[in-house]
Amino acid sequence: MSTAIGPDAAAVPSVDDVPESQPIAWRHRHLLDVDRLSTDELDLIMRTTDAMREVLARPIAKVPALRGRAVTILFYEASTRTRVSFEVAAKNLSADVVNIAASTSSVVKGESLIDTVRTVEALGAQMLVMRHSSSGAPYLAADIFSGSVLNGGDGWHAHPTQALLDLYTMRERMPGGSLAGRKVVILGDLLHSRVARSNIWTLTAAGADLWLCGPATLVRGFEAWANRGAAGRRFHLTTSVDEALRDADVVMALRIQRERMAGGLLPSMREYAARYGLTRERLALARPDALVMHPGPMNEGVEIAPDVAAGPQSVITDQVTNGVAVRMAVLYLLAGTRVPS
Amino acid sequence: MTGPAVDLEISRAWLVDPAAGREGPGEIVVRDGVFEAVTWLSGAEADGIGPDGVVIAPGFVDFHVHLREPGNEDAETVATGLAAAAHGGFTTVCAMPNTDPALDEPGVLTQIRAAAAASGSPVELLAHGAVTAGRTGEQLAAIGELADAGVVGFSDDGAPVRSATILRSALAYAGALGLPIVDHAEDASLTGGAEANDGYVATVLGLRGWPTAAEVAAVGRDLAVLADVVRDVPGARLHLTHLSTAGALDLVRAAKAAGLPVTCDVTPHHLGLTDEWLAGARRWAWEAGDDPWSDGALVGPPYDPSLRVNPPLRGRGDAAACLAALLDGTADAVATDHAPHTEVDKAVEFGLASNGISGLETALGILLAAVDAGRLPLLRAIGALTTGPMTLLAGRSRREAAGLVEGTAADLVVFDRSASWAVTPESLASRGKNSPLIGTELRGRVLLTVAGGRIAYEAPDA
């Protein structure tokens, strides 16, 4: 889908102003997935993130853009990194932030998601950031919430802001700021990964030569996607880590969870580490300046060796910093959304 | 309670009578609830009468519905379920026994028969008994008593008969009484936590995959057990309900060719809809392409919980196999698996939503869409709703045949293929508004349903 953003498409948003004053219209009320974002829209998010990075570099890293707006962060799954990142992002924009962790709310008493969202709205929320273990849950919330819903991760389905911060981090480090033709590898448990699914959309949109790699049990189902290349975007799939890593420009390792052993998907963590762990020896197959990424939290010594995670090629802490800027950008854009009537 | 016997004359309509193997221009006269005259027109009299207008067919028979009473009357009652049946053109329905308590002894059957009588609906209510007591899969239910009380089969539907040993006993015990075991074929060890047909759409949407192998493996087991039992109990019969996969239908095709006493049905939703609806596509299975993300098909919201159903909506190859099985007779009938649910059970996260589609009122519309698309002859579509399931009832219906037969009590449906109707929550008589077709228009508006010679449904402006 291509959305015409207008003649000002190259303009940099002036994020010190209120979002509604922007000359560039953002046309989506919610950010639920990245599958239907056009390349123009991705570029706008990247430029807005540039502006937010500039804000973060100021002595007082705060702008009044979202002053008086109520942002509720509703997380049904444990998370520190993403929740805090959204909270810092919203506060940097001067929004009023309320945090609800599902374990401490009436959710445990059996209140439905719809009731919870209605309650949050009645309490004044205008923007809702939510994380949920059930794929598609944010769509249910968006159906009844009168403001904007930002998907902070749903089941195995999508993690839009993670994919956007990954894209930003990669573009920032690539000569010319372009991923076109660059070999990007996502390594590990794809089956259960919302990060991988969202990255498929954004990285193929950015023109990357995308490779997915993992043990056969954890890449199952992606063959059909790779071959179809949904919306004309193809990628490669392999169980051979050597084939995947050879001459790669970017290597992103995904977290392996211990539950996968119980499900009969992996023999052992040890075997996974030996066959698929991102070690220094394996990384040597990639280009010498290849970036090392990980969405966190890491199992060091399993999917990534500690010396690789902390090594000179690692941009893992950049991902965290850029995460705040990207989330400021999408909060800002959604706050100024002009949905075509 | 029930209305008076009807007098009715309809001239210049398109008659479809699968029992007679014929369709064409004709007229019917019903006097005092009995077909007095069924006249086929020809020559000049038939001029201008086509199959695209008003159609008269025998009343439909549904071998598989859930009426939720007793125990879950918020979702459906016998009365609302029979009203939904009549609105869908059905004059005979067979209720599944997964009520609360389960229909595992004759008392519950007495109770729902009383509810049907109290409803005043002339639609015929038949029932399946449970295979096992409490549907727990452990001990046989009161199969003999239920047979005496008039059930039409035995099923633990909602769940498969998990133990092959129990299945073997049940096939033998019920078979000796001339009744089929109706199995929901699912190997549950392959479907723990499953949400959507294992495949491209589920992968992209991040839904837990529900492999076709779960059905194929279960059907393979069932057929092996049947072959074993039938050697000693020639009356043993197996009916496989709501088959959804090409693999399972191929097994049934081969088993029938080998002479095994097996029958099966497919649902309207498994032949008409595919898993791409979960992503937001809203086109018929025969219109589906390779990739809804590429061809502009995603026009609706994704993750609509009304699409969550067991077995799940499959890919277009499996949907085409369901249609092909109807065409070549591998599938004996279309059954709706009408599964009404409350909004409380459906307006939740996709993975938490109850399985099931409210289907009695949209079955005809889906089949007519296949007819309109040239995928299914009208006579076969109607046969799958009438003579096919009537054969499964093996004489246990009050009806002598599912046909337009002079001198018999009138069970008929009149629908207009040139008229569309909007599927809305208000338009459905069922309490279960969980239809993925809500918001769409279906061709083939039912104008009149007559059951047992009495009016069961009449369109408000007909």
Side-chain angles (χ1 to χ4, degrees):
Chain A
M1 187 177 81
S2 120
T3 304
I5 291 181
D8 308 320
V12 174
S14 52
V15 298
D16 290 280
D17 296 334
V18 292
E20 290 85 345
S21 67
Q22 291 306 309
I24 304 163
W26 179 254
R27 290 163 185 263
H28 302 281
R29 185 146 70 91
H30 310 290
L31 181 67
L32 304 176
D33 196 355
V34 288
D35 63 339
R36 299 191 213 183
L37 294 182
S38 68
T39 50
D40 279 354
E41 288 166 336
L42 289 169
D43 284 343
L44 177 58
I45 295 171
M46 295 298 111
R47 284 198 311 282
T48 310
T49 305
D50 285 336
M52 295 304 176
R53 281 282 303 267
E54 184 270 317
V55 169
L56 290 175
R58 295 178 191 175
I60 299 173
K62 199 159 181 161
V63 288
L66 264 63
R67 184 154 44 192
R69 284 192 201 249
V71 175
T72 292
I73 301 177
L74 173 64
F75 269 42
Y76 284 81
E77 258 188 0
S79 158
T80 305
R81 185 177 306 246
T82 304
R83 185 183 56 72
V84 170
S85 181
F86 267 112
E87 182 168 352
V88 169
K91 286 180 170 166
N92 288 346
L93 295 171
S94 304
D96 299 323
V97 182
V98 173
N99 256 296
I100 303 175
S103 56
T104 60
S105 76
S106 55
V107 167
V108 291
K109 294 175 203 151
E111 185 176 71
S112 74
L113 175 60
I114 284 180
D115 287 343
T116 301
V117 170
R118 289 205 171 112
T119 302
V120 162
E121 180 164 350
L123 290 169
Q126 295 161 313
M127 305 183 87
L128 177 64
V129 179
M130 70 176 279
R131 167 167 291 190
H132 199 291
S133 59
S134 194
S135 295
Y139 289 86
L140 186 65
D143 200 33
I144 54 154
F145 187 66
S146 67
S148 292
V149 175
L150 283 81
N151 182 1
D154 64 322
W156 304 352
H157 168 237
H159 196 343
T161 56
Q162 180 71 42
L164 293 168
L165 75 88
D166 289 338
L167 179 65
Y168 187 86
T169 304
M170 289 180 219
R171 288 188 15 162
E172 188 179 33
R173 294 294 188 118
M174 287 296 145
S178 169
L179 283 173
R182 297 290 183 173
K183 184 174 183 182
V184 177
V185 183
I186 303 178
L187 176 64
D189 180 1
L190 301 163
L191 181 62
H192 304 90
S193 177
R194 54 189 170 221
V195 174
R197 284 182 176 79
S198 284
N199 265 298
I200 287 172
W201 292 107
T202 51
L203 292 172
T204 52
D209 174 28
L210 178 62
W211 287 68
L212 304 188
C213 177
T217 48
L218 299 180
V219 300
R220 223 179 49 76
F222 283 78
E223 189 73 33
W225 191 350
N227 292 339
R228 270 189 184 78
R233 300 156 165 182
R234 287 181 177 271
F235 57 89
H236 304 275
L237 184 68
T238 177
T239 56
S240 162
V241 70
D242 289 359
E243 184 188 15
L245 291 184
R246 192 163 295 118
D247 299 322
D249 294 285
V250 179
V251 184
M252 182 190 300
L254 299 176
R255 176 178 174 79
I256 288 287
Q257 292 181 323
R258 294 193 176 276
E259 301 93 272
R260 305 308 166 220
M261 262 56 71
L265 294 170
L266 287 176
S268 68
M269 285 291 220
R270 183 175 42 98
E271 180 160 328
Y272 181 84
R275 298 178 80 87
Y276 288 94
L278 185 58
T279 59
R280 203 143 41 149
E281 295 71 35
R282 290 221 166 90
L283 186 58
L285 291 168
R287 292 170 59 92
D289 54 351
L291 305 180
V292 171
M293 303 177 71
H294 193 295
M298 286 184 281
N299 292 306
E300 290 188 60
V302 183
E303 73 265 10
I304 189 165
D307 58 344
V308 172
Q313 291 165 255
S314 170
V315 292
I316 294 170
T317 52
D318 291 19
Q319 288 175 272
V320 177
T321 312
N322 289 336
V324 174
V326 158
R327 291 178 177 113
M328 289 169 71
V330 297
L331 283 166
Y332 179 84
L333 290 169
L334 288 178
T337 192
R338 272 167 265 168
V339 180
S341 54
Chain B
M1 303 284 281
T2 304
V6 69
D7 291 324
L8 187 69
E9 286 182 29
I10 303 176
S11 55
R12 298 184 57 76
W14 188 263
L15 308 190
V16 180
D17 188 2
R22 98 183 260 198
E23 61 179 318
E27 303 180 338
I28 60 158
V29 178
V30 174
R31 280 284 167 255
D32 204 21
V34 173
F35 282 118
E36 183 178 275
V38 177
T39 310
W40 299 87
L41 302 177
S42 58
E45 289 180 322
D47 277 356
I49 307 174
D52 299 323
V54 172
V55 174
I56 302 175
F60 304 152
V61 179
D62 196 340
F63 196 60
H64 186 153
V65 301
H66 298 271
L67 300 185
R68 305 303 187 203
E69 183 177 351
N72 195 3
E73 290 83 354
D74 288 349
E76 193 81 292
T77 64
V78 168
T80 58
L82 295 183
H87 182 222
F90 291 88
T91 59
T92 300
V93 295
C94 305
M96 278 292 167
N98 63 332
T99 47
D100 185 13
L103 201 166
D104 60 0
E105 50 85 26
V108 180
L109 185 57
T110 305
Q111 189 181 342
I112 65 170
R113 281 177 174 158
S119 75
S121 171
V123 172
E124 181 182 29
L125 173 67
L126 299 171
H128 297 279
V131 176
T132 60
R135 298 176 57 251
T136 56
E138 286 158 16
Q139 269 193 304
L140 291 183
I143 287 181
E145 290 175 41
L146 286 164
D148 291 345
V151 298
V152 297
F154 296 95
S155 182
D156 276 355
D157 182 65
V161 179
R162 285 212 170 75
S163 154
T165 298
I166 292 282
L167 177 67
R168 191 168 62 156
S169 295
L171 280 167
Y173 201 100
L177 301 170
L179 285 164
I181 299 301
V182 179
D183 198 27
H184 161 128
E186 175 186 351
D187 181 338
S189 71
L190 281 166
T191 59
E195 296 170 301
N197 181 49
D198 194 36
Y200 173 57
V201 171
T203 299
V204 175
L205 293 180
L207 293 171
R208 289 159 174 76
W210 190 316
T212 54
E215 180 174 288
V216 182
V219 166
R221 180 204 72 163
D222 285 9
L223 291 171
V225 172
L226 175 66
D228 183 59
V229 171
V230 81
R231 278 196 292 272
D232 300 322
V233 185
R237 283 172 57 204
L238 173 68
H239 180 83
L240 296 160
T241 192
H242 57 50
L243 290 185
S244 66
T245 62
L249 290 162
D250 283 345
L251 289 179
V252 171
R253 189 173 287 117
K256 284 186 161 187
L260 276 184
V262 60
T263 52
C264 72
D265 65 67
V266 294
T267 73
H269 49 270
H270 286 114
L271 66 86
L273 276 51
T274 60
D275 57 358
E276 69 172 19
W277 281 55
L278 275 61
R282 294 292 182 266
R283 59 186 174 185
W284 298 115
W286 44 88
E287 298 165 343
D290 198 39
D291 180 7
W293 278 272
S294 296
D295 59 17
L298 303 182
V299 296
Y303 301 100
D304 177 352
S306 73
L307 294 161
R308 183 157 163 74
V309 63
N310 179 357
L313 298 180
R314 303 291 188 182
R316 59 178 172 158
D318 287 312
C322 291
L323 205 48
L326 266 191
L327 288 170
D328 75 3
T330 299
D332 301 85
V334 163
T336 66
D337 190 9
H338 176 70
H341 286 293
T342 62
E343 193 169 319
V344 169
D345 290 331
K346 273 296 199 184
V348 295
E349 297 86 328
F350 188 86
L352 303 178
S354 295
N355 284 309
I357 288 175
S358 182
L360 273 169
E361 293 162 88
T362 55
L364 174 63
I366 295 175
L367 292 185
L368 288 179
V371 173
D372 287 343
R375 304 282 168 161
L376 184 65
L378 180 61
L379 186 62
R380 179 65 192 128
I382 301 302
L385 291 168
T386 54
T387 47
M390 187 58 84
T391 303
L392 301 176
L393 294 176
R396 287 181 181 80
S397 168
R398 70 183 177 202
R399 296 161 66 179
E400 293 154 44
L404 305 173
V405 183
E406 289 178 359
T408 65
D411 276 85
L412 64 89
V413 54
V414 182
F415 57 91
D416 185 355
R417 288 186 65 197
S418 70
S420 297
W421 62 287
V423 187
T424 63
E426 299 74 33
S427 70
L428 297 180
S430 172
R431 282 197 182 163
K433 310 303 181 185
N434 49 304
S435 167
L437 294 165
I438 281 182
T440 67
E441 295 226 328
L442 292 177
R443 294 275 292 274
R445 185 164 169 264
V446 172
L447 303 177
L448 177 70
T449 306
V450 174
R454 289 168 163 78
I455 289 180
Y457 171 79
E458 192 170 13
D461 52 355

